[in-house]
Amino acid sequence: MLDNGKQRADLDAVFRPRSVAVIGASDTESKIGGTPLYYLRSRGYAGRVIPINPKAPEIQGLPAYANIKDAPGPIDLAIIAVPASLAVQALQDCADAGVKGVVMFSSGFAEIGEEGAAAQSQMQDIARKSGLRLMGPNCLGFMNIEEKIFATFAPVVKAGVAPKGRIGLVSQSGAFGGFAFSVARERGIGLSYWITTGNEADLGFAESVEWLATDPGTDVIVGYMEGCRDGDGLRRALDACRKAGKPLVVCKVGKTEAGAKAAASHTAALAGEDAVFEGIFRQYNVLRADSIEECLDIAYAASIAGLPSGNRVGFYTVSGGAGVLMADTAEAHGLDVPEFTRATQDKVLEMVPFAGTRNPLDITGQVGQIPGASRKALGLITADGTCDTVVSFISAAGLSPLGLEIAEDIAAVRAQSPDVLQVVSTLPSPEFRKAVEAAGVPVFEDPNRAVKAVAALARINRGFQRTDTAPDAQPTPLTVPEACTEPLALAALGKQGLPVVDFRHVATAAEAGQAAEELGGRVVVKIVSPDIGHKSDIGGVELNLSGRAEAEAAGERILAAAGAKAPGARLDGLMVAPMRRGVAECVIGVQRDPTFGPVVMFGLGGVHVEALRDVVFRAAPFSEDEAHAMIHEVRAIRLLTHPRGSDPADIGALARLLSQVSQIAAASPGLESADMNPVLAMTDGALILDALLLD
Amino acid sequence: MLDNGKQRADLDAVFRPRSVAVIGASDTESKIGGTPLYYLRSRGYAGRVIPINPKAPEIQGLPAYANIKDAPGPIDLAIIAVPASLAVQALQDCADAGVKGVVMFSSGFAEIGEEGAAAQSQMQDIARKSGLRLMGPNCLGFMNIEEKIFATFAPVVKAGVAPKGRIGLVSQSGAFGGFAFSVARERGIGLSYWITTGNEADLGFAESVEWLATDPGTDVIVGYMEGCRDGDGLRRALDACRKAGKPLVVCKVGKTEAGAKAAASHTAALAGEDAVFEGIFRQYNVLRADSIEECLDIAYAASIAGLPSGNRVGFYTVSGGAGVLMADTAEAHGLDVPEFTRATQDKVLEMVPFAGTRNPLDITGQVGQIPGASRKALGLITADGTCDTVVSFISAAGLSPLGLEIAEDIAAVRAQSPDVLQVVSTLPSPEFRKAVEAAGVPVFEDPNRAVKAVAALARINRGFQRTDTAPDAQPTPLTVPEACTEPLALAALGKQGLPVVDFRHVATAAEAGQAAEELGGRVVVKIVSPDIGHKSDIGGVELNLSGRAEAEAAGERILAAAGAKAPGARLDGLMVAPMRRGVAECVIGVQRDPTFGPVVMFGLGGVHVEALRDVVFRAAPFSEDEAHAMIHEVRAIRLLTHPRGSDPADIGALARLLSQVSQIAAASPGLESADMNPVLAMTDGALILDALLLD
């Protein structure tokens, strides 16, 4: 929605208001209508604050008005903190008064059932008609940390505020958002905005994220999601983050059965199919984290250090053991741990003869006895050209007085080699933390968490390098033939330019024999019927047939079997196709997702799809580059890249086919689902052997 | 080694000495020979402390002796803190003086090369001859927290000591151990012992763990390992922990290529094959953790709460979102999240009508407005009988004054229902932490880490339930036949009572035809030769043959192909066997591991073993119960339990076969390796179709 400049400006008025009214303002600071007023007054908001209360001329020392329509304008933002029964009227009053944005705390709407949903729908209408933007209802509101705007009654603010920083946080759950805020505050992680979206009658998760992507004070965005009702909006928001080069880290719950059940009982939003979400996140380079801790680790590192320019990591360690552990963790999370150059190793050994130098550089605890060696050694491996990030493990030294010297060393090296990220793991004193963070160096207590955060940043960087634009080709929409059989489906796909097996559709067993002779080699003969799904189950498929006689005999058996075992089915002759061998059988599917529209699935055939559920999704359309990434996400990828007794599969051809399928899927509203199974991955090319289309 | 009562007493003298001498004692507290003396004096050790220094009559205010032989005895423990060149003589002096244990800080031995190794070997001899026990050399020593014995020069102690607790920590790396100690201290996690083993000339990681298994002050053991030279000793130690019911959590580095390289460059110990270590850990119910943070999370939870009696977890949460996240995490980590009983849900709803009650119990942030509801609701789900552990998420309330009331509630429920573990996730104040821990309730800031710790405890509990004893059967040792071919291997295995396919070994193609006729159905014909490994590659295998004529013709082709393509190979006729179909093909292997002796491997056949490396190991022998666990560890287990179009495989028969193989492997020193591939898993039974034996 923010493509429209006016709408962006509207949200600016919500998130950066120059005046804030509180409807239902209370003198009691702990009350829902007293808390935001108290926060706004006591925490230094520079704009106008206007209490609205029909019963009191003054609230918390400020002149109050009976109705927002009586208050002096213009009013950018109104907070509505009244019971549900009064909320709709209050919103209408805001609209009448020309208020630009409303944050509604009131609960008792869609989350409680039909009646509430009706009232919520009324509010939606008011917002749409008047053009005001509504956050909530049933939300905890938001905070703009820089401008000290606390449009929230979240009690966590009483214990203190997280430092100003460059991480924007958006949560569909208020309680969860409040917890994340507290954790950030306790860890000293800086935030720009904190936003909770509640029932999302108007302004939702997606638009909030999209707005943060345009906010110059926000570099990194953390999201907590339970569901999504507007797939297009979400994709626009994710795309905005990607285009702005801002890392987006999301914790999306409902992964497992228990989680999904709990989510359904908790929120009014629809939970999408998790595998599709996973695919969308991958597609838009969203880093999906499993916990709030992981979200904050990654966002913290990105907001302090930025992104590394590659995957290679070097380690500097005072403990060999910690070095091995970090190297293990790095490789397990997709980082490369290259050996330092011989020249660099030799220079380090000249200074510190007892060091292990390959990578990790195990400088040992005794390095402290050689003045200046620590900074020089770190400088050498950093300037070595072999690594994009250096992680230093200095044990508990961050707590000691010596720590500040080390902090200076690291800061100096960071400044000397600005292209290489520095990350440090130690137990830090507050002074140590401040010193390294000021130099753009994040600090982690646990060395593994430091490495995992670096791996996440490297993955985000890789994702940003990918070509994200689907080709401009506008394929003709695919129309699913009436009573679609396999030959019709294959023909339809072939007509779209997709590689399909060279098959023959014949009427009789004799013609099948003749087709076999024409095709030569071994063939397969199958029954053709729009009504028979699992052809093998009724004896409708015979494989490995050689020559006219075998094929004709097989055709007779198949027609007889179909007649006997599927008596009601419409039969449409036989299909004959050459037996083709390749590297591995794959599956490509298309389905129309209720949230995201047409999505494309890829997996390896047979047990990998059915028993092991090793499949990946993307929203259509997508580029070949994206398809490459998609293919490499299947767990059994080695079956394509390192097959036994064969050259690797032609991944390029598979990627091309997947991208083509995605474009057709996107252009064909009449295609409900497609199932290309198997698709043969060959050393040269890919071939659709069987297909099913549904409209 | 601790099977011997005397040896246990010897280690008691090391770890609980009533007198400690420091050889190389220094007046300077920061020196390696000054630090332990300082710690012993200043931190309240109640035993005698005797400085040894040839140059000073008094050190740090204590009377000193020129040589330990001059000092008044008896001396339980001596710390040697002299340069490497003096260390051997100092050790000999200790032996002569009747000292029972020595901790040697001195470095410059096996870790620096051959010369050092020779000196280390001399020290080993002195220890063996005299019966004294030697820790180190090149180690940071140990701490006995309860008795305030700081036989260490680790600088981390200067910043303070971890509280006394019930976790024993053993580390092969001093620097890593020092870091772990600091983390424990900063987190307030209580330790009983802290032990670093250095070069392990005598006392090693295994024996230290084994001794802790007998220590009444230690309930949980955390280990950090880089390698193992004494597989039997390690297995004894792991077994001692299991028998004592003490959870052992190990961080073993060298998992990946980079890690293994780094480990090899760092330590003198041999790094074993990681997959075998993984199998040994599973077998002895060792919880392998990936980081020191994870080690401490699990050990902390176990030392405060003990183990749950089952897998079922209930959630109490003030945030629906956090509830979903925890439920997701629980299921992903093998916990069950059962629905609470209807009766309990109804009772909760009576009190708190807006709660979500299935599980998680989402009591919402508003529960605070209903006095007493919080404790009652937690009590109800705890007493519901559906869960073995309840995890409560109370957001940041642990920091607020209200927190202490909640802590009391949780403690009360814990006392009422002692069979159900309680764990709480919140940002805790020190008072909150103290209150819940005193009640046996661990607290975690991050809800996911709380759930992961519970999952680990449940897994440890499951492991302790398993029958660990291998059957007493003493199979006849298997002797690998001379020039062993497939028929000889199958016959040898069959003679051991293993299920092998009903094959015929024949000399000529004509006999192969006759054998095919006798066997009936479809058969396979294969070349027999001790010199041909990959028979298919030279055309030495034909499948799916039917009747005498086909088999005979195939036999002729095979013999001709073998003569042509493997001209030097000794040929021993043909083998004919029925084609058998089952649920899935598996692989069972035996190999002699340099550290652990005979180990047994299991995997699913084909791509699962070769491309995907989906295999698991166990040390031989093991029980059927253990084999069941082993089979269920392969990632593709669903191919056996949920095959497409078939009943499940007979896992019992596979487990029986694996246990039998393990007993034969253990009883057969002449068996270097065995390869049963494929082993057919059937709906009823399992069958070895092909085998290779090596001596």
Side-chain angles (χ1 to χ4, degrees):
Chain A
M1 304 280 184
L2 302 187
D3 298 339
N4 178 324
K6 173 170 181 319
Q7 283 166 321
R8 186 178 302 120
D10 288 351
L11 283 188
D12 285 356
V14 174
F15 289 121
R16 300 179 189 133
R18 279 158 305 171
S19 49
V20 183
V22 180
I23 301 177
S26 163
D27 255 332
T28 311
E29 286 163 13
S30 63
K31 282 204 177 159
I32 187 172
T35 304
L37 200 58
Y38 171 68
Y39 290 160
L40 286 164
R41 284 177 47 248
S42 62
R43 300 231 172 239
Y45 170 54
R48 273 198 307 143
V49 180
I50 309 119
I52 309 292
N53 184 314
K55 294 182 194 147
E58 195 184 281
I59 304 271
Q60 296 193 24
L62 294 172
Y65 300 85
N67 189 296
I68 194 158
K69 292 189 283 187
D70 308 330
I75 294 177
D76 284 347
L77 181 73
I79 294 168
I80 297 183
V82 298
S85 56
L86 306 172
V88 178
Q89 184 56 50
L91 184 69
Q92 185 61 56
D93 292 346
C94 289
D96 295 345
V99 168
K100 290 179 186 154
V102 167
V103 171
M104 187 176 289
F105 299 158
S106 320
S107 61
F109 297 97
E111 80 280 12
I112 62 154
E114 265 182 47
E115 203 181 322
Q120 185 169 318
S121 165
Q122 260 184 288
M123 300 198 293
Q124 211 162 24
D125 288 344
I126 294 170
R128 295 225 170 114
K129 272 184 206 144
S130 66
L132 71 71
R133 300 309 308 266
L134 169 63
M135 183 183 297
N138 190 28
C139 75
L140 275 188
F142 78 93
M143 312 180 208
N144 166 340
I145 305 287
E146 175 162 21
E147 299 184 64
K148 304 183 177 71
I149 301 164
F150 295 89
T152 181
F153 65 102
V156 290
V157 178
K158 281 178 196 142
V161 177
K164 183 175 110 54
R166 307 192 63 80
I167 301 171
L169 201 151
V170 183
S171 174
Q172 286 187 323
S173 152
F176 196 91
F179 179 66
F181 179 85
S182 302
V183 174
R185 182 192 63 221
E186 297 299 309
R187 288 178 59 181
I189 295 178
L191 302 181
S192 57
Y193 281 86
W194 176 91
I195 300 166
T196 67
T197 57
N199 285 10
E200 306 195 343
D202 173 33
L203 181 60
F205 176 88
E207 233 181 323
S208 302
V209 167
E210 196 179 355
W211 182 81
L212 286 173
T214 70
D215 172 42
T218 298
D219 290 340
V220 183
I221 301 162
V222 170
Y224 168 82
M225 281 184 79
E226 295 179 350
C228 170
R229 280 171 301 203
D230 173 13
D232 287 343
L234 183 63
R235 290 173 66 186
R236 258 197 317 274
L238 307 188
D239 196 43
C241 292
R242 185 171 55 173
K243 291 221 170 83
K246 295 189 183 181
L248 170 58
V249 188
V250 164
C251 183
K252 153 87 176 64
V253 298
K255 265 193 174 180
T256 58
E257 214 187 320
K261 253 190 276 171
S265 71
H266 169 254
T267 170
L270 282 159
E273 173 67 49
D274 196 73
V276 174
F277 269 106
E278 185 77 33
I280 301 279
F281 290 153
R282 296 275 187 161
Q283 187 163 8
Y284 287 92
N285 199 29
V286 174
L287 203 299
R288 185 175 191 178
D290 286 332
S291 67
I292 189 61
E293 182 171 271
E294 192 186 352
C295 280
L296 289 177
D297 278 359
I298 298 167
Y300 162 71
S303 76
I304 297 289
L307 296 180
S309 47
N311 254 8
R312 304 165 307 162
V313 62
F315 292 105
Y316 172 102
T317 177
V318 298
S319 152
V324 183
L325 194 61
M326 292 191 294
D328 274 354
T329 305
E331 292 215 335
H333 288 79
L335 292 169
D336 301 325
V337 186
E339 194 167 328
F340 299 123
T341 61
R342 192 64 254 168
T344 289
Q345 293 189 52
D346 288 343
K347 279 184 213 157
V348 173
L349 284 170
E350 250 171 59
M351 278 190 304
V352 193
F354 44 80
T357 56
R358 299 208 299 186
N359 188 13
L361 168 58
D362 176 10
I363 201 88
T364 85
Q366 290 153 54
V367 70
Q369 292 155 23
I370 307 171
S374 166
R375 181 190 296 202
K376 271 188 213 150
L378 181 62
L380 281 167
I381 62 167
T382 300
D384 188 43
T386 40
C387 298
D388 307 298
T389 304
V390 171
V391 180
S392 296
F393 174 78
I394 58 166
S395 192
L399 286 176
S400 75
L402 179 72
L404 290 181
E405 278 173 47
I406 302 176
E408 267 175 42
D409 291 346
I410 297 172
V413 173
R414 173 82 173 117
Q416 273 158 27
S417 301
D419 294 344
V420 178
L421 255 51
Q422 299 285 338
V423 175
V424 60
S425 171
T426 185
L427 301 178
S429 66
E431 299 75 34
F432 182 96
R433 175 182 290 280
K434 205 174 151 194
V436 291
E437 287 181 356
V441 178
V443 56
F444 286 89
E445 296 194 1
D446 186 73
N448 282 48
R449 274 168 66 187
V451 176
K452 283 187 201 167
V454 170
L457 299 192
R459 194 177 128 191
I460 293 171
N461 172 65
R462 286 201 301 280
F464 280 150
Q465 309 309 318
R466 241 164 38 221
T467 309
D468 57 343
T469 39
D472 284 336
Q474 292 285 337
T476 325
L478 183 150
T479 313
V480 179
E482 279 287 311
C484 189
T485 58
E486 180 179 346
L488 290 173
L490 284 172
L493 295 173
K495 217 174 127 192
Q496 297 275 346
L498 304 185
V500 297
V501 70
D502 175 26
F503 70 92
R504 306 293 155 90
H505 184 193
V506 298
T508 65
E511 285 173 25
Q514 191 183 332
E517 192 169 86
E518 285 167 23
L519 288 165
R522 304 228 161 189
V523 300
V524 55
V525 177
K526 307 182 195 180
I527 191 74
V528 175
S529 163
D531 301 321
I532 301 176
H534 293 285
K535 298 184 280 276
S536 303
D537 295 355
I538 60 130
V541 179
E542 294 207 22
L543 303 168
N544 264 320
L545 305 164
S546 189
R548 178 191 281 259
E550 276 191 32
E552 183 170 343
E556 278 161 10
R557 282 192 299 271
I558 288 170
L559 288 168
K565 294 193 186 162
R570 290 168 288 175
L571 301 186
D572 187 18
L574 296 162
M575 183 177 134
V576 185
M579 293 292 293
R580 296 293 298 264
R581 300 251 164 241
V583 179
E585 292 190 345
C586 303
V587 178
I588 296 178
V590 172
Q591 68 182 57
R592 202 156 285 273
D593 183 81
T595 307
F596 296 104
V599 296
V600 176
M601 183 193 87
F602 174 75
L604 281 153
V607 299
H608 299 282
V609 170
E610 306 206 356
L612 306 179
R613 292 166 195 169
D614 184 12
V615 295
V616 290
F617 286 87
R618 286 293 188 277
F622 50 82
S623 65
E624 280 183 46
D625 208 9
E626 189 65 39
H628 265 281
M630 182 181 180
I631 293 166
H632 281 90
E633 281 166 25
V634 297
R635 293 193 299 274
I637 179 66
R638 287 179 62 87
L639 301 185
L640 295 174
T641 57
H642 295 76
R644 192 190 167 195
S646 160
D647 286 334
D650 182 350
I651 307 263
L654 270 182
R656 205 152 43 244
L657 173 53
L658 274 166
S659 174
Q660 280 176 299
V661 167
S662 78
Q663 292 164 56
I664 294 166
S668 308
L671 180 65
E672 184 60 31
S673 87
D675 205 1
M676 288 155 254
N677 182 9
V679 173
L680 196 63
M682 303 180 294
T683 55
D684 183 14
L687 197 60
I688 303 169
L689 298 187
D690 198 345
L692 193 70
L693 301 177
L694 290 179
D695 56 6
Chain B
M1 303 279 185
L2 303 186
D3 297 339
N4 178 325
K6 175 170 179 320
Q7 284 166 321
R8 185 178 301 121
D10 289 351
L11 284 189
D12 285 355
V14 175
F15 289 121
R16 299 180 189 134
R18 279 159 304 171
S19 48
V20 182
V22 180
I23 301 177
S26 163
D27 255 333
T28 310
E29 285 164 12
S30 64
K31 282 201 177 164
I32 185 172
T35 304
L37 200 58
Y38 170 69
Y39 289 161
L40 285 165
R41 285 175 47 247
S42 63
R43 300 231 172 240
Y45 170 53
R48 274 197 305 143
V49 179
I50 308 119
I52 309 292
N53 185 316
K55 293 184 193 146
E58 196 184 281
I59 304 270
Q60 295 192 26
L62 294 171
Y65 299 85
N67 190 297
I68 193 158
K69 291 188 283 187
D70 308 331
I75 296 176
D76 284 347
L77 181 73
I79 294 167
I80 297 183
V82 299
S85 56
L86 305 173
V88 178
Q89 184 55 50
L91 184 68
Q92 185 61 57
D93 291 346
C94 290
D96 295 345
V99 168
K100 290 178 186 154
V102 167
V103 171
M104 188 176 289
F105 298 159
S106 319
S107 60
F109 297 97
E111 81 279 12
I112 63 153
E114 264 181 47
E115 205 182 320
Q120 185 169 317
S121 166
Q122 260 184 286
M123 300 198 293
Q124 211 162 23
D125 288 344
I126 294 170
R128 295 225 170 115
K129 272 182 206 146
S130 65
L132 70 70
R133 301 308 309 266
L134 170 62
M135 182 182 295
N138 189 29
C139 76
L140 275 188
F142 78 93
M143 312 180 206
N144 167 338
I145 306 288
E146 174 160 24
E147 300 184 63
K148 306 184 176 69
I149 301 166
F150 294 90
T152 181
F153 65 103
V156 291
V157 179
K158 280 178 196 142
V161 176
K164 184 176 108 53
R166 307 192 63 81
I167 301 171
L169 200 150
V170 183
S171 174
Q172 287 188 321
S173 152
F176 196 91
F179 178 66
F181 180 84
S182 303
V183 175
R185 182 191 64 220
E186 296 300 309
R187 288 177 60 182
I189 295 178
L191 302 181
S192 57
Y193 281 87
W194 176 90
I195 300 167
T196 68
T197 57
N199 285 11
E200 306 196 345
D202 172 36
L203 181 61
F205 177 87
E207 234 181 322
S208 302
V209 167
E210 196 179 354
W211 183 81
L212 286 173
T214 70
D215 172 43
T218 299
D219 290 341
V220 183
I221 300 164
V222 170
Y224 168 81
M225 280 184 79
E226 295 181 348
C228 171
R229 280 172 301 203
D230 173 13
D232 287 344
L234 184 64
R235 289 172 67 186
R236 258 198 317 275
L238 307 189
D239 196 43
C241 293
R242 185 172 53 175
K243 289 221 171 82
K246 296 190 183 180
L248 170 58
V249 188
V250 164
C251 182
K252 153 86 176 65
V253 297
K255 265 193 174 180
T256 57
E257 215 186 320
K261 254 191 275 170
S265 72
H266 169 255
T267 171
L270 283 160
E273 173 67 49
D274 196 74
V276 175
F277 269 105
E278 186 76 32
I280 301 279
F281 290 153
R282 297 274 186 161
Q283 187 164 5
Y284 287 92
N285 198 29
V286 175
L287 203 299
R288 185 175 192 177
D290 285 333
S291 68
I292 189 62
E293 182 170 272
E294 193 186 351
C295 280
L296 289 177
D297 279 359
I298 298 166
Y300 161 70
S303 76
I304 298 289
L307 297 180
S309 47
N311 254 9
R312 303 165 307 162
V313 61
F315 293 105
Y316 172 101
T317 177
V318 298
S319 152
V324 184
L325 194 61
M326 293 190 293
D328 275 354
T329 306
E331 292 216 333
H333 288 79
L335 292 169
D336 301 326
V337 186
E339 195 168 327
F340 300 123
T341 62
R342 192 64 254 167
T344 290
Q345 293 188 52
D346 287 343
K347 279 184 212 157
V348 172
L349 284 170
E350 249 170 58
M351 276 191 304
V352 192
F354 45 79
T357 55
R358 299 208 298 184
N359 187 13
L361 168 57
D362 176 10
I363 201 86
T364 86
Q366 289 153 56
V367 70
Q369 292 156 24
I370 306 171
S374 167
R375 182 189 296 203
K376 272 190 214 148
L378 181 62
L380 281 166
I381 61 168
T382 300
D384 188 43
T386 41
C387 297
D388 307 297
T389 304
V390 171
V391 180
S392 297
F393 174 79
I394 58 167
S395 193
L399 286 176
S400 74
L402 178 72
L404 290 181
E405 280 173 47
I406 302 176
E408 268 176 42
D409 291 346
I410 297 172
V413 174
R414 173 83 174 118
Q416 274 158 26
S417 301
D419 294 344
V420 178
L421 255 52
Q422 298 285 339
V423 175
V424 59
S425 172
T426 185
L427 300 178
S429 67
E431 300 73 34
F432 182 95
R433 176 182 290 280
K434 206 174 149 192
V436 291
E437 287 181 357
V441 179
V443 56
F444 286 89
E445 297 193 0
D446 187 73
N448 282 50
R449 275 168 65 187
V451 176
K452 284 185 200 168
V454 170
L457 300 192
R459 196 178 125 190
I460 293 171
N461 172 66
R462 285 201 299 280
F464 280 149
Q465 310 308 320
R466 234 156 53 212
T467 309
D468 55 343
T469 40
D472 284 336
Q474 291 286 336
T476 324
L478 184 150
T479 314
V480 179
E482 278 287 310
C484 188
T485 58
E486 181 178 346
L488 290 172
L490 285 172
L493 295 173
K495 218 174 126 193
Q496 296 276 346
L498 303 185
V500 298
V501 70
D502 176 26
F503 70 91
R504 305 294 153 92
H505 184 193
V506 298
T508 65
E511 286 173 26
Q514 192 184 333
E517 193 170 85
E518 285 167 24
L519 288 165
R522 302 228 161 188
V523 299
V524 54
V525 177
K526 306 183 194 179
I527 191 74
V528 176
S529 163
D531 302 321
I532 300 176
H534 292 287
K535 298 185 279 276
S536 302
D537 295 354
I538 61 131
V541 180
E542 293 207 21
L543 303 168
N544 265 322
L545 305 163
S546 189
R548 177 191 282 258
E550 276 191 32
E552 182 169 342
E556 278 161 10
R557 282 192 298 271
I558 288 171
L559 288 168
K565 294 193 187 162
R570 289 169 289 176
L571 301 186
D572 188 19
L574 296 162
M575 183 178 132
V576 186
M579 294 292 294
R580 295 292 299 264
R581 299 252 164 242
V583 179
E585 293 191 345
C586 303
V587 178
I588 296 179
V590 172
Q591 68 181 57
R592 202 156 284 276
D593 183 81
T595 307
F596 295 105
V599 296
V600 176
M601 184 192 88
F602 174 76
L604 281 152
V607 299
H608 299 282
V609 170
E610 306 206 356
L612 306 180
R613 292 169 194 167
D614 184 12
V615 295
V616 289
F617 286 87
R618 286 295 188 275
F622 51 81
S623 65
E624 279 183 48
D625 207 9
E626 189 64 39
H628 265 280
M630 184 181 179
I631 294 166
H632 280 90
E633 281 167 25
V634 298
R635 296 193 297 274
I637 179 65
R638 287 180 62 87
L639 302 186
L640 295 175
T641 56
H642 295 77
R644 193 190 167 195
S646 160
D647 286 335
D650 182 350
I651 308 264
L654 270 182
R656 204 150 46 241
L657 173 53
L658 273 166
S659 174
Q660 281 177 297
V661 167
S662 78
Q663 292 164 57
I664 293 166
S668 309
L671 180 66
E672 183 58 33
S673 87
D675 206 0
M676 287 155 254
N677 182 9
V679 172
L680 196 63
M682 303 181 293
T683 54
D684 183 13
L687 196 61
I688 303 169
L689 298 187
D690 197 345
L692 193 69
L693 301 178
L694 291 178
D695 55 5

